[in-house]
Amino acid sequence: MEKPSQYPAVLLTSFGICTLMYAGVAVLGYMMFGESTQSQFTLNMPQDLVASKIAVWTTVVNPFTKYALTISPVAMSLEELIPSNHAKSYIYAILIRTALVISTLLVGLSIPFFGLVMALIGSLLTMLVTLILPCACYLSILRGRIGLFQGSICVVIIVVGIISSVFGTYSALSRIIENLS
């Protein structure tokens, strides 16, 4: 940035705009579909429109494009174990990445209720890593050097994270138990 001192304002503005856009889409979706709103937005769209099909396929393709980024650090760590002077190191890299993709596919197919298990893990860990721990560490590191407003905001974020984690965990566990019985 040309003026690094403006970073907090830029960050706050960006998050504010994103929040308003998400909230606006949520409100408009609820106003359009009311109580019959389904959890996946693509299920609410008309089935015969080309725009709906583009939205569905964009939603389907999106995780595939992100998977390579997610698995890349693991693959690179494994590839470092291969001697760099080896003539077939490129082939080994391809084999490692292919094995990682196949192994994650097998794990996803072999674990019953994989989506619900991931929802459980996500509700526990995502809130912990993204909301609770950063604020708790910030408060711990800057204890006594932050103002009342910053401290209060951090506490509110921690409380929201804990509440979200509890509700998400309860929801995932109840659906797992429901599917088991």
Side-chain angles (χ1 to χ4, degrees):
M1 284 184 78
E2 187 175 318
K3 298 178 183 177
S5 63
Q6 292 179 339
Y7 179 76
V10 170
L11 187 65
L12 185 61
T13 303
S14 299
F15 277 117
I17 290 170
C18 288
T19 301
L20 288 175
M21 290 177 67
Y22 276 111
V25 169
V27 168
L28 290 175
Y30 186 78
M31 288 173 59
M32 286 173 52
F33 300 107
E35 292 295 325
S36 63
T37 302
Q38 298 196 20
S39 63
Q40 296 176 12
F41 78 95
T42 54
L43 298 176
N44 298 311
M45 302 173 84
Q47 299 295 321
D48 55 341
L49 294 178
V50 174
S52 298
K53 292 179 182 179
I54 290 172
V56 168
W57 280 106
T58 303
T59 305
V60 168
V61 169
N62 190 17
F64 291 116
T65 60
K66 291 181 180 178
Y67 184 75
L69 289 173
T70 305
I71 206 75
S72 191
V74 176
M76 288 170 46
S77 297
L78 292 173
E79 289 168 9
E80 286 180 1
L81 299 174
I82 302 169
S84 61
N85 59 357
H86 201 280
K88 297 180 180 178
S89 62
Y90 183 71
I91 293 171
Y92 288 137
I94 291 173
L95 290 174
I96 287 172
R97 290 171 187 260
T98 304
L100 283 171
V101 170
I102 291 171
S103 65
T104 53
L105 175 68
L106 292 175
V107 167
L109 292 175
S110 64
I111 296 177
F113 315 122
F114 183 71
L116 296 176
V117 171
M118 293 309 297
L120 175 64
I121 292 170
S123 63
L124 278 172
L125 299 180
T126 302
M127 291 299 132
L128 184 68
V129 170
T130 59
L131 294 177
I132 299 168
L133 284 179
C135 288
C137 290
Y138 180 78
L139 289 174
S140 174
I141 291 169
L142 297 177
R143 186 181 332 206
R145 292 181 281 174
I146 59 172
L148 181 63
F149 180 73
Q150 281 183 325
S152 301
I153 293 294
C154 284
V155 169
V156 166
I157 291 172
I158 290 172
V159 169
V160 167
I162 290 171
I163 292 170
S164 299
S165 183
V166 167
F167 279 117
T169 302
Y170 173 77
S171 172
L173 281 175
S174 64
R175 288 193 297 180
I176 289 172
I177 292 168
E178 178 183 304
N179 284 332
L180 287 174
S181 26

